[in-house]
Amino acid sequence: MKIVSVDDLPLDGKVIQVLRNRGIVSLNPVQSEAIEKGLLEGKRMLLTSPTGSGKTLIAELGMISHLLKGGKRAVYVTPLRALTAEKYSTFGDWETLGIKVGVTSGDYDAEDAFLSKYDLVVTTYEKLDSLWRHGPEWLLETDYFVLDELHYMNDGKRGPIVESVAVRAKRRKILALSATVSNGEAIAKWLNAELVNTNWRPVPLREGILINDRKITLSFSDGTTLTLKGSDGILSYTEKVVEEGGQVLIFRSSRKMAETTAKKVASLNLKLRRGEVDSLASRLEEVEDAGSEEKNTLLELIKKGVAFHHAGLSKGLRDLIEEGFRKRIIKVITATPTLAAGVNLPARSVIIGDIHRFNRRILGFQEEISVMEYKQMSGRAGRPGYDSEGEAVIVVRNRREAERIARKYIFSPPEPLESKLGNESAFYSFLLGLFAEKGSSEERVRNLVYEAFLDRNVTESYLEQGFSWLKENEFLTNDYKLTVFGRRVADIYINPFSAKIIKDVLTSSQSEDCDIPYLHMLAMTPDGPIANVSKQEEDDLVYVSPCPTFMEEPDDEDELYEYLSALKIALIVHDWVEETEEDTILSKYNIGSGDLRSIVETMDWLTYSGYQVAKALKLESHAEILHKLNRRVYDGVKEELLDLIRVPGIGRKRGRLLYQNGLTKPEDLLMNQEKVKSILGEKLGEKVVKEAARVVGGVL
């Protein structure tokens, strides 16, 4: 059947009303086909279609119809926290039907029992993978899973986790959503689902090659060509689009390139709504979680209707930039490719400024991006409701490569999805997670492993190796039960190779008063954050460390780079917990506020994990040091402030200010309420005193 109006849907009138309240009066061809193929009857389905084709609404209709027919619970899974927050906000509409919507991400050492009261839960693949290890009753009862962005299976880092989650989820009712892939039939067969595949887009996409040679020529796949004036193709094309009332997303291969391009675009005299631009710029100055230099740089750009966007920026800055673009105040964003996957920001035109990216493991340090990455970026072209068509152009430097690039990216399908479990680190972690589940046994684990998408012959070779490795390294007993150490490692959700490094180092090392050896060890694990190390830093890092590390400096060049990257992370976190000013840290290590927060969050988790591993191994002196270090990392404080920052509302700056004024513990705040108010201000001081009372009273 071909559904034209939402009124024709075989759903409760309240569901129809939610759709109408959103302005949805009819379904598009993708959504109609999903209905035809049995979505509302709970049919298992793999839906592949371009970005912006309405897959989220299909998932909502599938989940809501399941729940209204008596289903126990639905879980919607995304690869990124930003997407999780976005979907959670969207799904809140369904609470008018009495459907309770919950969300969870992060904090991997928890089973989140509070989620038992929710009907629809939004989470990330990592969090869901960790939850399965804890085995909460609410998750075991869940009977409908939506796996969003399934093409992340091809991602080297997240792919094994996506596949691991799919192995468990496909034993229940499942709806998998993906960008178009070339082996959809094989993936659908693996999931035991029906394939719904379409290339329909709400806004047609015109793709082309922009040749930035002596003459700037733009050639589209439909045969039309355009010659632009000027010497810089990106600037010329951007100016043309904005003059015609459009917005532009420019993707560059690195942060530096994105920032440099933004400054060049800002030199154009773009037509802006001055009052709205000035208002947005004034709000930028109020963002609290950003460094002064990056705020000042962005302030000047936003006044010109331009901004750059990458993971180095703080969340506050990224949120403000995205809001400005959605409201069409900012006309141009230059970004790294991560924006293409993480945020729903359509534009009239998308410019892919580079088809190469940096990879230091490849000779020459350059590799071409995948077709899937190109499709993700180009898929942002075309704003529904604003544009009759979108344009995506790839910039090339000469005519010789134009034909090859067009053939590879515009006229070819994306790469097939492949299993990323085919390496020891990913496969052994997968095994450990399966053994951690309730009711696990050798037989059950073997059966589940063979349900992965990994080639059967590869699986067989890794399986016995994995069992042996987990036993040899004391994660498993000889009768295939988790040891105390293995159980703890599975629960805290670190890679078993990370746990082995921590175990080997701590059992062979004396405890140290300095925090650098511990931070360096944790950053050296597979779960550790990575920092770019410049040539100058390579020479300087070893000499600025205040104390030696547990690990010797390697001779191998690649291993040395990893060693120095970990050392840089250790020094950053050392400065952080010594209460060095944030601006000083950002400048000293050439990182952004977003980088610092990401490093702190990861090292907060790893110091906690290190503490738990040491405790499980009964290494008491190491455990005590790591526990204290973990308490310091999140807020970035010296040990003397640990008691004071237990009070909500007191962080590193307020804590230090109070401490310098003789208020060193929560009890002092209660005994000196007027002094607290004079230091922090009347309103904030009163709030902090109330929180201190709760802490002292044992509520917190």
Side-chain angles (χ1 to χ4, degrees):
M1 66 180 173
K2 193 70 174 176
I3 297 176
V4 176
S5 170
V6 296
D7 293 328
D8 295 332
L9 287 169
L11 284 171
D12 186 282
K14 292 181 180 179
V15 176
I16 306 300
Q17 191 56 51
V18 169
L19 299 180
R20 285 193 162 275
N21 289 344
R22 291 184 184 176
I24 300 171
V25 296
S26 61
L27 299 182
N28 68 38
V30 181
Q31 295 156 352
S32 298
E33 187 172 351
I35 299 289
E36 289 177 8
K37 294 288 180 66
L39 175 75
L40 301 183
E41 288 75 52
K43 192 78 174 283
R44 301 169 62 88
M45 193 174 293
L46 168 64
L47 177 71
T48 66
S49 64
T51 300
S53 56
K55 293 191 286 289
T56 300
L57 180 59
I58 292 170
E60 290 179 88
L61 294 176
M63 292 187 293
I64 298 307
S65 61
H66 172 76
L67 293 171
L68 292 180
K69 289 176 181 177
K72 183 67 178 176
R73 184 176 292 103
V75 171
Y76 187 102
V77 201
T78 83
L80 303 168
R81 287 190 188 182
L83 284 175
T84 298
E86 185 180 299
K87 302 305 181 187
Y88 172 63
S89 176
T90 300
F91 300 162
D93 292 350
W94 300 109
E95 295 202 328
T96 58
L97 278 67
I99 291 172
K100 295 180 180 177
V101 182
V103 64
T104 182
S105 63
D107 191 11
Y108 299 125
D109 190 17
E111 61 178 53
D112 291 357
F114 72 94
L115 290 171
S116 62
K117 63 184 179 182
Y118 293 100
D119 307 297
L120 196 168
V121 175
V122 191
T123 189
T124 62
Y125 282 101
E126 285 88 352
K127 178 62 177 179
L128 183 56
D129 191 29
S130 76
L131 283 167
W132 251 306
R133 300 176 181 211
H134 290 274
E137 199 61 36
W138 69 264
L139 180 57
L140 300 179
E141 294 171 349
T142 298
D143 49 4
Y144 194 96
F145 287 91
V146 176
L147 307 184
D148 197 7
E149 309 277 357
L150 189 71
H151 50 270
Y152 265 80
M153 267 182 62
N154 269 11
D155 182 83
K157 182 179 179 182
R158 287 192 168 91
I161 298 165
V162 173
E163 186 173 350
S164 176
V165 165
V167 165
R168 279 83 148 235
K170 72 193 185 83
R171 292 193 158 198
R172 283 87 158 180
K173 287 186 178 179
I174 188 173
L175 170 62
L177 309 174
S178 174
T180 305
V181 293
S182 58
N183 62 335
E185 294 86 357
I187 298 296
K189 183 179 179 182
W190 170 57
L191 295 174
N192 190 25
E194 178 157 356
L195 176 65
V196 177
N197 177 34
T198 175
N199 288 318
W200 181 87
R201 282 175 48 94
V203 180
L205 177 64
R206 195 161 69 132
E207 299 170 88
I209 301 291
L210 195 157
I211 304 171
N212 197 25
D213 206 345
R214 284 169 295 182
K215 185 170 70 172
I216 303 170
T217 307
L218 182 52
S219 301
F220 288 102
S221 56
D222 61 6
T224 60
T225 60
L226 185 67
T227 301
L228 299 172
K229 296 178 181 179
S231 58
D232 187 312
I234 290 177
L235 296 185
S236 299
Y237 179 62
T238 297
E239 188 170 32
K240 172 185 177 296
V241 173
V242 176
E243 281 180 357
E244 294 171 353
Q247 290 172 281
V248 183
L249 281 178
I250 304 172
F251 289 106
R252 302 310 308 257
S253 60
S254 69
R255 295 179 184 183
K256 186 175 181 180
M257 291 284 282
E259 294 180 16
T260 300
T261 303
K263 291 170 183 175
K264 288 181 179 178
V265 174
S267 67
L268 300 173
N269 188 22
L270 302 179
K271 189 183 297 183
L272 307 172
R273 303 196 294 268
R274 180 48 56 194
E276 292 180 346
V277 169
D278 290 342
S279 175
L280 188 70
S282 65
R283 287 176 55 203
L284 179 93
E285 298 179 39
E286 299 167 8
V287 175
E288 293 184 354
D289 64 347
S292 302
E293 187 176 340
E294 58 195 2
K295 282 167 67 173
N296 291 336
T297 302
L298 276 167
L299 183 63
E300 294 307 310
L301 292 173
I302 286 177
K303 287 178 179 178
K304 302 291 182 67
V306 183
F308 57 81
H309 187 296
H310 55 62
L313 295 180
S314 71
K315 186 178 185 302
L317 288 176
R318 294 197 304 269
D319 287 347
L320 191 70
I321 290 165
E322 291 160 18
E323 178 191 335
F325 196 75
R326 287 194 182 99
K327 291 182 176 179
R328 306 178 74 199
I329 300 169
I330 294 174
K331 301 299 181 183
V332 182
I333 288 181
T334 63
T336 50
T338 50
L339 178 66
V343 183
N344 182 24
L345 282 183
R348 163 85 64 81
S349 297
V350 167
I351 301 173
I352 293 91
D354 315 276
I355 56 158
H356 292 90
R357 63 169 164 229
F358 177 82
N359 186 338
R360 69 180 310 276
R361 295 188 181 278
I362 292 178
L363 187 63
F365 292 175
Q366 295 286 330
E367 65 177 348
E368 289 189 350
I369 64 172
S370 68
V371 179
M372 178 65 80
E373 288 172 289
Y374 163 73
K375 299 294 185 187
Q376 286 287 99
M377 289 186 277
S378 63
R380 297 297 173 196
R383 301 164 302 176
Y386 291 110
D387 301 318
S388 58
E389 69 177 4
E391 292 181 349
V393 302
I394 306 172
V395 179
V396 299
R397 306 297 176 234
N398 58 67
R399 299 175 190 281
R400 288 194 305 276
E401 63 175 348
E403 187 177 337
R404 181 185 70 82
I405 296 302
R407 192 164 55 248
K408 175 175 179 178
Y409 293 104
I410 297 176
F411 298 111
S412 298
E415 296 80 7
L417 295 191
E418 298 175 343
S419 175
K420 298 298 181 184
L421 284 172
N423 64 75
E424 292 176 342
S425 179
F427 193 89
Y428 296 0
S429 185
F430 177 44
L431 274 184
L432 185 67
L434 294 178
F435 273 113
E437 292 181 26
K438 284 185 178 178
S440 73
S441 64
E442 179 194 357
E443 182 182 7
R444 181 178 182 275
V445 169
R446 285 183 183 274
N447 290 337
L448 279 170
V449 164
Y450 281 110
E451 289 192 31
F453 195 60
L454 189 63
D455 178 80
R456 188 174 184 87
N457 292 329
V458 177
T459 299
E460 287 177 354
S461 66
Y462 273 116
L463 189 55
E464 299 308 323
Q465 292 177 33
F467 284 159
S468 298
W469 188 89
L470 290 171
K471 290 177 184 177
E472 289 168 7
N473 289 283
E474 302 176 338
F475 294 92
L476 280 181
T477 63
N478 286 330
D479 57 349
Y480 296 93
K481 304 293 183 186
L482 286 180
T483 62
V484 172
F485 169 61
R487 175 79 254 177
R488 202 69 200 98
V489 170
D491 283 349
I492 58 181
Y493 198 64
I494 59 171
N495 188 291
F497 282 84
S498 294
K500 174 175 163 46
I501 289 173
I502 296 169
K503 173 174 169 284
D504 291 348
V505 170
L506 294 185
T507 52
S508 62
S509 304
Q510 295 295 318
S511 58
E512 294 281 350
D513 291 333
C514 180
D515 55 42
I516 296 290
Y518 294 94
L519 295 170
H520 182 257
M521 169 193 68
L522 295 169
M524 281 286 287
T525 66
D527 290 306
I530 297 171
N532 288 325
V533 180
S534 67
K535 280 294 181 185
Q536 182 178 343
E537 286 177 317
E538 287 184 23
D539 298 330
D540 295 343
L541 276 172
V542 177
Y543 301 105
V544 298
S545 179
C547 57
T549 65
F550 286 134
M551 299 149 125
E552 292 185 9
E553 184 178 329
D555 295 323
D556 179 82
E557 187 175 342
D558 281 340
E559 290 180 4
L560 176 61
Y561 187 87
E562 291 171 3
Y563 176 94
L564 293 175
S565 170
L567 183 55
K568 182 174 178 178
I569 295 292
L571 293 171
I572 289 169
V573 180
H574 170 75
D575 281 0
W576 173 249
V577 299
E578 288 298 311
E579 298 179 35
T580 302
E581 282 291 327
E582 185 170 331
D583 277 345
T584 302
I585 295 175
L586 302 185
S587 174
K588 181 178 178 181
Y589 297 103
N590 192 30
I591 59 173
S593 53
D595 296 318
L596 180 59
R597 178 44 55 189
S598 177
I599 289 167
V600 167
E601 286 181 356
T602 303
M603 293 303 285
D604 174 44
W605 167 51
L606 285 176
T607 48
Y608 173 79
S609 299
Y611 159 60
Q612 293 294 334
V613 167
K615 199 164 69 162
L617 296 171
K618 295 186 168 28
L619 302 171
E620 300 301 336
S621 59
H622 286 306
E624 184 180 348
I625 292 167
L626 282 161
H627 185 222
K628 202 170 289 181
L629 184 56
N630 173 243
R631 293 174 62 205
R632 295 173 60 199
V633 165
Y634 185 81
D635 286 291
V637 296
K638 294 180 180 178
E639 187 177 337
E640 63 204 36
L641 289 190
L642 285 177
D643 199 20
L644 202 54
I645 62 167
R646 289 192 298 131
V647 178
I650 297 180
R652 65 199 313 249
K653 289 185 178 179
R654 290 169 186 163
R656 180 52 58 192
L657 190 59
L658 292 167
Y659 192 91
Q660 288 170 342
N661 281 275
L663 307 174
T664 63
K665 52 186 183 295
E667 291 83 356
D668 294 341
L669 305 182
L670 291 180
M671 298 295 292
N672 300 274
Q673 295 186 23
E674 292 306 315
K675 188 174 182 180
V676 173
K677 292 176 186 177
S678 69
I679 294 170
L680 299 181
E682 186 75 23
K683 192 173 181 181
L684 178 59
E686 187 174 334
K687 183 179 179 181
V688 165
V689 167
K690 286 181 180 178
E691 295 290 0
R694 295 174 65 207
V695 171
V696 172
V699 179
L700 294 178

